[in-house]
Amino acid sequence: MNYQPSQGLQQFKNLVGIKFQLYNSLFTSLPFHRIEKTGILLSLLLTICEDGYKKKQSPEQILDEFFQKHTALTGEREKADVLFRFVQYVERQIVLFDALEDASFKYVNDMSGAGTLKHLMSEVIQTNKEEELTEKLKDYSVRMVLTAHPTQFYPGAVLGIINDLSRAVIENNAGDINLYLQQLGKTPFLKKHKPTPYDEAISLIWYLENVFYHASGRIISALKDQFPHAVDKRNAVIKMGFWPGGDRDGNPFVKAETTLRVAEALRGAIVKCYYLDVRRLKRRLTFKGVDVLIAELEQKLYNNIFVPGQRTELTQDEILEHLVQMREIVIYQHNSLFLPMIDNLIGKVMIFGLHFATVDIRQDSSVHGSVMAAIAAKERLLPEHYSSLPDERKMELLTELSGEVNPKLYDDPLIRDTLDSIAAVRTIQRFNGEDGCSRYIISMCTRAVDVLEVMGLFLLCGWVKEQLTVDIVPLFETVDDLQAAAGVMKSLYEQRDYRAHLRRRGDTQTIMLGFSDGTKDGGYLMANWAIYKAKEELTAISKKYDVDVVFFDGRGGPPARGGGKTHRFYASMGKNIANKQIQLTIQGQTVSSNFGTVDTAQYNIEQLIHAGISNDLFSSKEVTLQAGEEELLQLLSVESYKAYTKLKEHPYFLQYLNEVSPLRFYNETNIASRPTKRKSGGRLELKDLRAIPYVGSWSQLKQNVTGYYGVGTALQWIDKQGKWAAVKRLYTDSPFFKTLLDNCEMAMKKCFFPLTEHFSVHPVYGEIWALIYNEFELTQKYILKLSGKNELMADYPVEQLSIQMRERIVLPLSTIQQYALTKFQALEQSGANTPMKEVYERLIMRSSFGIINAARNSA
């Protein structure tokens, strides 16, 4: 029987909806003060919130009425204590909901349907495309880069409980479920101290060991079983990248020492994974000839983990050599017994080597310029007036540098660390292999000289031009930078020494495109359009210079930062956009929500693999968009950009966000090592504000401005131009445009304007609230007109229901947060210095955790 979407919806209702109601009753036994009464009062508050917002009451009015009619509390501190208990209760309800969703995943989703590996295999066999698949897999891969961006509000201990709770739910083990909920009640959700970059790395290594390692092994084994000759041993189809410990852009706490320590932790983790697998193999491979080999390999791995000074005595090739020898003996002497277990481990070693994940170094372009100026002033390895030279002259100098810089001569810690980080790359490659650290990413790259300055730094740090085993990756982020990207790359391709470097790197250039700052800068539609056009132009210019371009997408969790239905974007591309590889960042909540279990990780990795392969093998589409469609999208983007720019330039825009949302408290949540602003101190400016707190604050306001603002205005404008039929055709015919608006619908589905409707009559913020609300209504009207549906996300009923249920669970928290913000600001404006001010501040922050966690991809 074919899988029907309605089956998934019914399964979701049974396995998530009904079970949530059942297990929710277990919360009454949680070890909290007066927990039974808290649960009853919270249910009552939810009903009062829903009724109150229908009557256009403010959060303050709703909670004042609640306390007055349903409690005997009169003191502000007593009321706050009850609200903190509500926060604790709701936080744990959200954990339960997460665990239930994770447990139900393989029953709700069609694990053999469209976009999966099984579907791909059947397509390949039916169309006799085995040879084409083999050719594609010679250099095709999906690289998922785990980042420590501050969007994961769950502490590591809570993530572990979610994992165990999900397993207990799958097994219907009521005793364990109750036990884990008790554990949850005793486990703090609030981090007392900010994590260090190393702490962040260790948290993400847990996912590598417990999820990605096993999911990737399954996928490669399945591919090799079906198409034994298709998987090229020189190319890992799945690759992992890693930013914690290497990403120094705006993070003063990442040092060269951190980078080395993280790389060592990654190496230790993968060797431990191999060791445990070899131990399991040893129990099965007890045959003559194999037993000696596996004992040798076990001892080598053991020495690398537990014996100091032994870590250099092992290489990826050595492990593979042992496994291949065992494989041959098992095949020819022992009837291929347990061969799949050996093949599974070989596949993992091919993917993860001794590095587990490639540590990427990332730094802002302005830092490199400052370092070069300092070197010119102190060591004269560059002309003293280097900074004032024109770019053309700088580019000539940078590829011909000689002499070696001495980091110890520099007092500035940023300059010294930048130089030390380049030395760290060599150390990591020595112990973890070249893949351990082979990419240097340049944030805010605007010119060709930004790339060559990094190349020059490597030369000044002792690297030889002909032996530079590092890819230099420019990152284009703002709308202007994206539009100028092709020109920058043309200059680089025409620079003799840089082109020679690319030749030595396999004629391949990786280019990173950032969604987050593009959306913050240009709004939803313009950011997506600017990235699409940049990819199109970069593909064309790279092809002209015989360079294979690989796009690395800096995608966040929500649609406003490039998230949403990511694989659909890749699947929608025509041959005018390079698709040699798919590379993207996986960050914060997206790690736990999309890759939190082996089943969810396998499904989502398969979706990405399928998107790139099917696009090449089965799509006859030469271009993603026809000329007329591009022209239409250009018009829409320009109109959308005008509307968003007008909103941004409103005199109270940032003040509104700072006062009405929890933006100013983001840095106090202790969820990440990185500051919320690129520059410390000074007045708040949009250009310095990081995209994550910016987008996350709009999300907590339930306004999600960056996910739709300007789309309605653009569609209305195009309608008035008499081109509605053309837009309708575009929506029907273009998967790219359809996915763009599907993700827009997701952002809008998480909006709830009654929460802030009291600001519609505010003397200062009334105008800006009305602008945002009217744009939301206009966008909803036109998107429904396009889709022909009566409600948002009607094409995705399971996700639609999930969002509705989550938003209902979290409604009291959103109300509490707005109430606390109102109280805090009243005390601040009065100048009163009472202990309650700090209490409300903590309440605002604590509410953030549950609101963000419930949304799963809201920051």
Side-chain angles (χ1 to χ4, degrees):
M1 186 174 73
N2 290 332
Y3 178 93
Q4 298 294 326
S6 58
Q7 289 174 251
L9 182 61
Q10 192 54 52
Q11 290 278 45
F12 186 88
K13 288 176 179 176
N14 294 339
L15 299 175
V16 181
I18 293 173
K19 282 192 174 184
F20 179 74
Q21 298 304 324
L22 290 171
Y23 292 137
N24 200 25
S25 62
L26 293 175
F27 279 101
T28 55
S29 63
L30 285 181
F32 287 146
H33 173 63
R34 301 180 72 184
I35 189 69
E36 303 90 344
K37 194 170 182 181
T38 301
I40 294 164
L41 284 173
L42 181 61
S43 296
L44 187 60
L45 176 59
L46 174 59
T47 304
I48 289 168
C49 285
E50 289 175 328
D51 291 343
Y53 288 123
K54 285 175 186 171
K55 293 187 285 188
K56 298 190 181 298
Q57 289 181 319
S58 71
E60 188 176 15
Q61 289 170 326
I62 288 169
L63 279 169
D64 283 347
E65 183 179 311
F66 167 76
F67 283 123
Q68 185 183 341
K69 289 185 177 179
H70 303 286
T71 75
L73 302 173
T74 54
E76 290 299 302
R77 186 61 206 240
E78 290 176 300
K79 292 176 184 177
D81 286 345
V82 170
L83 295 179
F84 274 114
R85 293 217 305 271
F86 288 160
V87 170
Q88 285 184 310
Y89 200 104
V90 173
E91 280 175 336
R92 286 152 178 82
Q93 284 184 312
I94 294 160
V95 168
L96 173 61
F97 198 88
D98 284 347
L100 289 169
E101 275 207 333
D102 287 347
S104 70
F105 188 86
K106 65 181 179 182
Y107 305 104
V108 171
N109 295 276
D110 186 357
M111 304 299 280
S112 304
T116 64
L117 211 54
K118 285 182 181 176
H119 184 249
L120 175 68
M121 290 171 180
S122 65
E123 281 183 300
V124 169
I125 292 166
Q126 286 170 18
T127 54
N128 295 313
K129 297 264 186 173
E130 286 92 336
E131 286 185 19
E132 288 92 331
L133 178 67
T134 302
E135 188 63 30
K136 177 72 176 172
L137 290 181
K138 281 181 181 176
D139 57 9
Y140 174 73
S141 64
V142 168
R143 183 191 294 256
M144 292 155 291
V145 181
L146 304 182
T147 81
H149 285 3
T151 62
Q152 180 51 271
F153 276 65
Y154 284 136
V158 175
L159 288 168
I161 295 170
I162 293 174
N163 191 277
D164 296 339
L165 193 54
S166 297
R167 196 177 304 118
V169 168
I170 291 169
E171 296 166 359
N172 279 318
N173 188 328
D176 277 355
I177 291 168
N178 188 44
L179 199 61
Y180 295 144
L181 288 176
Q182 295 281 336
Q183 181 189 1
L184 196 63
K186 289 286 190 183
T187 303
F189 277 50
L190 185 68
K191 297 175 184 176
K192 290 185 179 177
H193 306 287
K194 278 185 176 291
T196 66
Y198 185 74
D199 294 334
E200 292 169 332
I202 295 304
S203 295
L204 284 178
I205 287 172
W206 185 92
Y207 286 99
L208 286 171
E209 290 178 295
N210 293 282
V211 179
F212 287 98
Y213 181 74
H214 301 291
S216 300
R218 280 188 193 177
I219 291 169
I220 293 301
S221 292
L223 259 178
K224 288 170 79 174
D225 282 349
Q226 190 69 54
F227 307 109
H229 306 296
V231 181
D232 194 314
K233 65 180 181 181
R234 291 160 298 184
N235 176 56
V237 177
I238 300 166
K239 297 179 181 178
M240 298 302 303
F242 208 74
W243 275 18
D247 180 11
R248 355 176 89 64
D249 175 22
N251 192 337
F253 308 108
V254 177
K255 307 291 184 189
E257 179 191 354
T258 319
T259 309
L260 290 167
R261 198 175 166 209
V262 167
E264 191 166 340
L266 285 164
R267 188 185 196 277
I270 191 58
V271 172
K272 184 175 77 175
C273 287
Y274 295 155
Y275 175 73
L276 293 172
D277 266 357
V278 165
R279 294 272 297 175
R280 281 187 281 270
L281 262 177
K282 191 180 179 186
R283 288 177 68 100
R284 304 280 80 87
L285 301 182
T286 50
F287 323 132
K288 184 180 177 182
V290 187
D291 52 350
V292 177
L293 283 169
I294 200 159
E296 282 178 14
L297 182 55
E298 180 193 18
Q299 189 61 50
K300 283 180 181 289
L301 293 166
Y302 178 89
N303 290 346
N304 261 261
I305 302 168
F306 300 111
V307 182
Q310 292 290 309
R311 68 175 186 169
T312 57
E313 292 190 5
L314 193 66
T315 65
Q316 179 185 16
D317 287 343
E318 194 176 347
I319 298 172
L320 285 171
E321 191 179 321
H322 267 79
L323 292 171
V324 169
Q325 283 183 45
M326 284 189 266
R327 189 179 191 277
E328 295 295 309
I329 294 170
V330 164
I331 290 171
Y332 293 110
Q333 297 180 27
H334 303 294
N335 303 322
S336 297
L337 276 172
F338 304 114
L339 184 63
M341 289 180 71
I342 302 174
D343 283 343
N344 181 274
L345 183 51
I346 288 173
K348 290 171 179 171
V349 177
M350 283 168 54
I351 293 169
F352 299 114
L354 282 175
H355 62 284
F356 218 159
T358 301
V359 177
D360 288 343
I361 308 291
R362 183 170 80 126
Q363 185 56 281
D364 191 279
S365 61
S366 62
V367 172
H368 307 131
S370 300
V371 173
M372 284 300 188
I375 292 171
K378 194 170 283 278
E379 297 192 68
R380 305 296 170 86
L381 295 168
L382 285 159
E384 193 175 357
H385 58 292
Y386 170 81
S387 296
S388 61
L389 291 173
D391 282 3
E392 292 76 10
R393 179 62 185 136
K394 284 182 181 178
M395 289 172 70
E396 289 172 14
L397 287 167
L398 289 166
T399 54
E400 300 298 335
L401 292 173
S402 60
E404 195 161 337
V405 72
N406 181 1
K408 293 178 181 176
L409 295 176
Y410 300 91
D411 298 326
D412 187 327
L414 184 58
I415 291 171
R416 184 181 291 190
D417 181 70
T418 303
L419 298 172
D420 286 343
S421 69
I422 291 172
V425 174
R426 192 191 296 277
T427 305
I428 295 168
Q429 289 195 359
R430 179 182 158 206
F431 291 118
N432 293 21
E434 186 181 313
D435 286 337
C437 187
S438 58
R439 309 200 317 173
Y440 197 111
I441 298 161
I442 307 162
S443 294
M444 293 296 170
C445 184
T446 60
R447 308 168 300 159
V449 75
D450 293 338
V451 174
L452 292 185
E453 280 186 335
V454 171
M455 189 174 183
L457 283 172
F458 273 91
L459 299 180
L460 288 173
C461 289
W463 292 70
V464 179
K465 200 173 358 182
E466 290 72 27
Q467 296 170 9
L468 182 54
T469 51
V470 175
D471 296 316
I472 303 170
V473 181
L475 165 52
F476 301 107
E477 298 178 83
T478 67
V479 172
D480 287 345
D481 292 344
L482 288 164
Q483 290 171 348
V488 171
M489 296 315 300
K490 181 177 185 291
S491 298
L492 286 167
Y493 294 153
E494 289 176 350
Q495 210 284 332
R496 183 191 60 200
D497 293 287
Y498 188 75
R499 185 64 187 86
H501 168 68
L502 288 182
R503 203 166 290 118
R504 290 188 290 271
R505 301 297 292 165
D507 285 313
T508 301
Q509 171 69 58
T510 302
I511 298 173
M512 187 173 181
L513 304 167
F515 278 77
S516 297
D517 278 289
T519 313
K520 188 186 80 173
D521 180 47
Y524 179 71
L525 210 52
M526 177 54 87
N528 279 280
W529 174 243
I531 287 166
Y532 169 78
K533 285 304 291 178
K535 283 187 175 182
E536 189 176 51
E537 290 164 8
L538 288 164
T539 300
I541 198 73
S542 300
K543 192 173 183 180
K544 181 181 176 183
Y545 287 89
D546 295 320
V547 174
D548 286 326
V549 67
V550 172
F551 295 119
F552 174 22
D553 290 318
R555 293 177 177 270
R561 291 183 47 246
K565 302 181 184 308
T566 306
H567 61 278
R568 291 183 184 272
F569 272 117
Y570 293 118
S572 71
M573 296 298 162
K575 294 181 171 56
N576 60 320
I577 306 289
N579 74 336
K580 183 177 179 179
Q581 296 178 30
I582 287 176
Q583 297 191 11
L584 72 164
T585 51
I586 309 286
Q587 53 191 259
Q589 293 165 298
T590 313
V591 181
S592 55
S593 60
N594 288 1
F595 302 89
T597 67
V598 176
D599 285 335
T600 57
Q602 181 177 347
Y603 181 83
N604 285 301
I605 295 169
E606 286 186 12
Q607 292 283 322
L608 290 169
I609 291 173
H610 186 282
I613 292 176
S614 62
N615 196 298
D616 216 31
L617 265 59
F618 308 116
S619 173
S620 57
K621 189 190 293 185
E622 287 300 317
V623 293
T624 311
L625 297 162
Q626 299 296 328
E629 294 174 330
E630 284 207 356
E631 186 184 333
L632 201 57
L633 253 175
Q634 169 70 20
L635 291 171
L636 286 167
S637 299
V638 168
E639 290 304 314
S640 173
Y641 184 49
K642 286 178 189 174
Y644 179 71
T645 302
K646 186 178 177 184
L647 177 72
K648 267 197 323 180
E649 290 174 352
H650 191 285
Y652 297 118
F653 178 71
L654 265 186
Q655 186 179 324
Y656 172 79
L657 185 62
N658 202 39
E659 294 282 330
V660 178
S661 84
L663 174 64
R664 61 195 288 196
F665 305 101
Y666 239 90
N667 212 37
E668 309 306 316
T669 53
N670 292 335
I671 58 167
S673 66
R674 196 173 73 172
T676 56
K677 291 200 300 178
R678 281 192 166 88
K679 294 177 184 174
S680 59
R683 64 191 288 267
L684 181 65
E685 291 190 40
L686 191 57
K687 63 183 175 64
D688 295 330
L689 183 61
R690 288 201 172 275
I692 290 165
Y694 177 72
V695 172
S697 296
W698 285 119
S699 166
Q700 289 185 72
L701 262 186
K702 298 299 170 189
Q703 291 184 348
N704 283 338
V705 160
T706 44
Y708 64 85
Y709 200 94
V711 175
T713 296
L715 290 171
Q716 183 185 55
W717 181 84
I718 213 86
D719 188 13
K720 288 178 178 176
Q721 300 300 308
K723 297 183 179 180
W724 185 253
V727 175
K728 183 78 175 173
R729 272 195 309 277
L730 179 65
Y731 181 81
T732 306
D733 298 343
S734 167
F736 174 78
F737 187 58
K738 172 74 163 61
T739 304
L740 206 59
L741 293 191
D742 283 350
N743 282 348
C744 185
E745 288 188 50
M746 185 192 295
M748 295 174 74
K749 192 69 183 174
K750 296 178 182 180
C751 290
F752 183 68
F753 278 90
L755 179 71
T756 51
E757 192 168 353
H758 57 287
F759 284 105
S760 64
V761 293
H762 192 279
V764 177
Y765 301 137
E767 184 183 353
I768 200 161
W769 187 91
L771 276 172
I772 296 167
Y773 176 68
N774 291 337
E775 184 63 29
F776 173 87
E777 288 290 300
L778 189 64
T779 304
Q780 179 173 246
K781 171 189 167 184
Y782 273 97
I783 283 183
L784 294 179
K785 186 178 177 182
L786 263 182
S787 68
K789 302 292 195 301
N790 296 319
E791 55 184 355
L792 296 170
M793 291 188 73
D795 288 341
Y796 304 97
V798 171
E799 289 163 287
Q800 183 193 57
L801 181 57
S802 173
I803 290 171
Q804 285 170 350
M805 291 184 72
R806 286 174 174 277
E807 292 299 311
R808 189 165 188 267
I809 293 167
V810 88
L811 184 60
L813 278 197
S814 298
T815 305
I816 290 167
Q817 186 180 68
Q818 280 296 311
Y819 171 84
L821 273 163
T822 303
K823 294 288 189 183
F824 176 87
Q825 283 155 9
L827 290 173
E828 193 172 51
Q829 286 162 13
S830 70
N833 192 16
T834 74
M836 284 309 298
K837 189 176 171 186
E838 188 180 332
V839 170
Y840 288 128
E841 187 174 356
R842 283 196 297 117
L843 198 51
I844 293 162
M845 286 189 297
R846 283 304 306 277
S847 301
S848 291
F849 285 58
I851 296 167
I852 290 287
N853 287 333
R856 288 215 126 174
N857 70 346
S858 57

